[in-house]
Amino acid sequence: MQFSYEVKDSYAEVKSVGRLNMVAAPKLREVVAEVVAAGSSRVVVNLAETDFMDSSGLGALIGCLKAARQAGGDLRIAAVQPQVKMVLELTNMDRVLTAYATAEDAFGDD
Amino acid sequence: MTDVVARRGYHGPSTDEAIDAIHNELDSLWDDASFVPDMDRMTFATAVIEAAANIVQHALPVAEKPVEIDVDISVRPARLVARVSAHNAREPFADDMQASMPDSEAESGRGLALIEALVTTVTFERQDGTNTWILTRET
């Protein structure tokens, strides 16, 4: 599992590559905390290359969402793959973590 | 006895490394059972990883010996079966057996509810210091 990020004009994009499981979840929290602490509270997590997420990965996304909102921003997810979509729907979290087609679209409306 | 078409297993210390190793076994399982539909692979694999992660995160040793995790996954003609066991483990706390979905702010506690939503049956057994989850999915 790997995470990298890039600060763009109006948001920061965090790329998640690999399985977002209980091993990777704490790393995602660290990376997003770092991004938010550096001043980017509008965060997109690009999940194009994440073909698996478990409830720990989902918990990390929820924690990151709260961290971004506490800093006055928001966290959105993009390019969700079928297994991740399934986990979001079965846990009813698809209504909280809105999925956008691409990272560019995530903050495209504001 | 139902015919087993394909089988994979894992046995080792209950650590982070076990999770990825079990996931690799699941991925390779489908090489020997290509007839299993994608939806069944996805749901079953998610349930097995949730059960294994529950053990790694919550299982406490019953004595000095560390907890070991054992997974036996089999594909049968119309059923996927996984036995996910924690050896040398204490009986789980009631709080760790919570199977209802928590509210949307919660950052943990969805694992068991998710397992129940993903498979056809979930059975828990405890015998001689071993906790075993038996997950089945009809295909």
Side-chain angles (χ1 to χ4, degrees):
Chain A
M1 190 73 202
Q2 287 183 350
F3 298 102
S4 59
Y5 68 90
E6 193 179 338
V7 177
K8 312 255 183 167
D9 286 345
S10 63
Y11 63 90
E13 179 180 347
V14 176
K15 273 193 184 148
S16 164
V17 177
R19 298 166 181 156
L20 184 45
N21 57 18
M22 60 156 282
V23 184
K27 296 176 197 162
L28 175 64
R29 289 175 188 267
E30 282 173 26
V31 170
V32 172
E34 190 181 320
V35 167
V36 172
S40 299
S41 60
R42 283 151 59 99
V43 180
V44 182
V45 180
N46 187 335
L47 296 168
E49 292 175 73
T50 297
D51 58 9
F52 182 89
M53 177 178 78
D54 67 6
S55 62
S56 301
L58 174 61
L61 280 178
I62 296 163
C64 294
L65 170 68
K66 289 197 260 184
R69 287 186 176 165
Q70 274 163 15
D74 200 7
L75 179 137
R76 297 175 184 179
I77 55 177
V80 168
Q81 301 302 303
Q83 190 273 351
V84 174
K85 184 168 183 281
M86 174 190 78
V87 169
L88 289 168
E89 288 173 355
L90 287 175
T91 54
N92 297 318
M93 291 306 294
D94 51 331
R95 286 172 288 180
V96 179
L97 286 159
T98 316
Y100 292 82
T102 67
E104 292 76 27
D105 289 345
F107 285 102
D109 58 345
D110 54 18
Chain B
M1 188 72 191
T2 318
D3 291 340
V4 173
V5 179
R7 173 168 247 150
R8 290 291 186 280
Y10 179 85
H11 187 109
S14 174
T15 59
D16 286 2
E17 287 71 31
I19 299 298
D20 280 317
I22 293 164
H23 212 137
N24 293 340
E25 292 296 327
L26 278 162
D27 283 350
S28 83
L29 177 68
W30 314 124
D31 295 342
D32 296 346
S34 55
F35 63 91
V36 178
D38 284 350
M39 178 57 82
D40 292 311
R41 298 179 188 202
M42 196 166 85
T43 49
F44 183 68
T46 307
V48 172
I49 294 300
E50 285 291 343
N54 182 283
I55 289 172
V56 172
Q57 288 175 307
H58 300 296
L60 296 171
V62 75
E64 298 83 46
K65 282 167 77 181
V67 175
E68 291 185 2
I69 191 164
D70 186 277
V71 178
D72 174 34
I73 315 157
S74 55
V75 179
R76 294 150 200 253
R79 183 184 294 174
L80 306 170
V81 182
R83 293 179 63 90
V84 185
S85 302
H87 295 291
N88 315 321
R90 284 190 217 172
E91 198 166 347
F93 291 113
D95 283 357
D96 294 336
M97 300 288 273
Q98 183 68 33
S100 60
M101 209 61 86
D103 72 50
S104 65
E105 291 278 301
E107 294 177 35
S108 62
R110 291 183 181 79
L112 295 194
L114 191 54
I115 291 172
E116 294 205 336
L118 290 164
V119 293
T120 314
T121 66
V122 182
T123 314
F124 176 79
E125 286 178 2
R126 176 164 175 85
Q127 194 170 22
D128 301 331
T130 297
N131 299 327
T132 302
W133 302 91
I134 304 159
L135 314 177
T136 70
R137 182 172 170 92
E138 307 294 331
T139 58

